[in-house]
Amino acid sequence: MPRRRIGFWYRFAAVLCKPPLVVLIKRDWRGMENIPAEGGFITAVNHNSHVDPFAYAHYQYNTGRVPRFLAKAGLFRKGFVGAAMRGTGQIPVYRESTDALSAFRAAIDAVERGECVAFYPEGTLTRDPDGWPMTGKTGAARVALQTKCPVIPVAQWGANELLPPYAKKPNLLPRKTHHVLAGPPVDLSRFYDKEMSPDLLKEATEVIMAAITAQLEELRGEKAPETPYDPRQVRIEQRRRTRAQERAQERAQAQQQAQAQAQQEEGQST
């Protein structure tokens, strides 16, 4: 299937965004040969800065295969932002949908039309203390297994040095370098034509995240932790510690009350 034309709105966005990106960030871009020249595909990208969607879009724009990002449906409804989102072909995600497959129907349709859909499988900025990819959500795997399209793992590093995760002010100087490395397609063939159970989707997602992490290890020249940061498990552990602390406080208060009661009774008996 032929590629979709870039179109007016994407070119207009590039005119607005590329000059400041060129001024603020140097580029070390590799792996463009792994971006398919034709047909629908997915890129699965790590996320470590609020700036990196723009920096990564710049990288892929230069390959001639513009990415279609998933975004909340509310952004498409009104004003200039809505017109730009619709015009550039971004993909609305209807979070109120109760059917997981239906929630990604637009992404599936885009891939089947020959588009590139860019996924941030982590779903949010990484919370790993050292900036490594976290465990992923299953949306990219779900679309990939439904369409059997290529999944290109992409690692990026450097936008997080310009604007660290959850920071409010950028670090403009010295000028930062945006490193990007796109790898060869992830082999998911062993998952094809099987029931998309939660366990299967989880395993496929782990394969995708491992490929992204391997690309980032090459970019950074160091090894990632053996176990990815899992925000769900961290929240569970935090709740467990909070409950343990609350129970300890309750026991301490009960002991204090018992001691006070004993002292009061001893005073009354004398």
Side-chain angles (χ1 to χ4, degrees), residues 7 41 103 133 210 227 258:
F41 65 101
T227 303

Side-chain angles (χ1 to χ4, degrees), residues 176-191:
K176 308 303 186 292
T177 299
H178 183 228
H179 305 272
V180 183
L181 178 59
V186 181
D187 183 7
L188 299 176
S189 59
R190 67 183 182 274
F191 302 110

Side-chain angles (χ1 to χ4, degrees), residues 20-243:
L21 288 171
V22 169
V23 170
L24 291 173
I25 307 175
K26 295 182 287 185
R27 289 170 287 173
D28 170 30
W29 289 352
R30 290 176 269 162
M32 287 186 175
E33 69 277 6
N34 290 314
I35 300 297
E38 304 290 343
F41 65 101
I42 287 171
T43 56
V45 193
N46 67 307
H47 191 18
N48 54 30
S49 172
H50 286 301
V51 174
D52 68 42
F54 300 97
Y56 170 67
H58 186 191
Y59 167 87
Q60 200 173 316
Y61 181 90
N62 280 25
T63 72
R65 300 300 310 272
V66 293
R68 312 295 174 181
F69 290 95
L70 280 73
K72 291 185 289 189
L75 295 174
F76 292 73
R77 291 171 184 157
K78 295 181 180 179
F80 177 80
V81 171
M85 296 292 283
R86 295 189 300 272
T88 54
Q90 306 314 309
I91 299 172
V93 175
Y94 298 91
R95 296 181 184 273
E96 63 271 17
S97 173
T98 58
D99 182 340
L101 187 57
S102 295
F104 291 100
R105 185 71 248 176
I108 292 169
D109 290 345
V111 169
E112 291 176 343
R113 290 195 307 270
E115 303 279 356
C116 165
V117 179
F119 275 88
Y120 284 117
E122 298 161 277
T124 186
L125 291 172
T126 183
R127 291 183 172 85
D128 181 272
D130 295 317
W132 292 102
M134 304 187 293
T135 55
K137 299 182 183 301
T138 61
R142 186 181 295 275
V143 174
L145 298 185
Q146 177 74 14
T147 61
K148 299 182 181 178
C149 70
V151 178
I152 308 301
V154 182
Q156 57 180 335
W157 189 259
N160 54 302
E161 295 175 343
L162 173 65
L163 184 66
Y166 308 105
K168 296 182 179 180
K169 294 183 179 180
N171 298 319
L172 298 178
L173 297 174
R175 190 172 173 223
K176 308 303 186 292
T177 299
H178 183 228
H179 305 272
V180 183
L181 178 59
V186 181
D187 183 7
L188 299 176
S189 59
R190 67 183 182 274
F191 302 110
Y192 292 165
D193 301 319
K194 295 182 179 179
E195 180 185 356
M196 281 197 281
S197 67
D199 287 343
L200 182 135
L201 289 170
K202 181 176 182 292
E203 186 179 352
T205 299
E206 289 172 351
V207 172
I208 293 171
M209 295 308 300
I212 298 170
T213 302
Q215 300 301 311
L216 188 56
E217 287 178 332
E218 184 172 342
L219 276 183
R220 295 176 60 173
E222 56 186 303
K223 293 294 291 183
E226 290 187 9
T227 303
Y229 184 95
D230 186 340
R232 180 175 177 273
Q233 289 299 324
V234 170
R235 288 193 297 270
I236 291 172
E237 180 61 25
Q238 288 173 341
R239 287 196 293 267
R240 188 194 65 78
R241 288 199 298 266
T242 298
R243 287 196 296 268

